[in-house]
Amino acid sequence: MDHFHEESVNKVNTGLNTLVYILASIGMIIFAVMAASSLMSIISSGNILVSIIFTAVFGGLTYGCYVLRNNQRVEYDYTFTNGILDVAKITNNSKRKRVLSADIRDFEIIAPIGDPGFERMLNHKEIEKRHNVFLNKGHGLYYGVFDDDGVKSMIVFEPGETMLKLFKRFNPRNVKIDEA
């Protein structure tokens, strides 16, 4: 029998993110128009160097607003398939980037961040890679320590109850579930 479960993690309070998204969109349009205007003045103006500088600056600001706007719509997908956890970051509901893939059986520990071992692992010198793949701070955050192709790594994420039960089924000795 195959074990498959998928979860998407979205930001709970998105009021500020929505405001930044709207302002960045407006800024992107304004700076794009100003860059186009500066580009047109290169042709008609006698001062080409100033027009090129203004075009570059406004073009850079347009791109900065574009990046800021797209980073306001971020979510993480956790996919569990027969003991393998895959994590992907989705930006602006269109761009999907694989963050990591790990076998749950290889985890040394998966526990809530309230666990006493979390602080110790956070400052552990052997952990070379840290993956923060969560959006909501507070209750429901878990950490895991595992070996990723010879590199000791740590993940902080927010799995749901069903996913935690599947983790427990595949690695019962090393998975601690918060009962609160």
Side-chain angles (χ1 to χ4, degrees), residues 11 21 24 49 56 73-74 90 113 117 120 125 129 144 151 157-158 179:
K11 202 163 188 97
Y21 184 86
L49 183 62
R73 302 275 196 250
V74 174
I90 300 168
I113 60 168
R120 186 175 64 246
K125 290 177 179 38
K129 261 186 174 175
V151 177
F157 62 128
E158 46 186 317
E179 302 299 329

Side-chain angles (χ1 to χ4, degrees), residues 74-138:
V74 174
E75 59 186 72
Y76 288 103
D77 273 353
Y78 308 141
T79 306
F80 182 84
T81 310
N82 295 327
I84 306 295
L85 173 66
D86 293 311
V87 180
K89 180 180 181 180
I90 300 168
T91 307
N92 206 26
N93 293 329
S94 61
K95 185 178 176 188
R96 182 180 189 90
K97 181 182 174 192
R98 183 183 157 274
V99 176
L100 71 94
S101 184
D103 192 332
I104 291 299
R105 293 171 214 121
D106 294 339
F107 275 73
E108 294 175 19
I109 187 167
I110 295 176
I113 60 168
D115 188 66
F118 176 65
E119 288 296 324
R120 186 175 64 246
M121 286 298 176
L122 199 58
N123 299 317
H124 202 280
K125 290 177 179 38
E126 288 182 20
I127 296 179
E128 296 177 33
K129 261 186 174 175
R130 287 181 171 68
H131 303 280
N132 293 321
V133 290
F134 64 92
L135 295 173
N136 304 301
K137 296 180 180 180

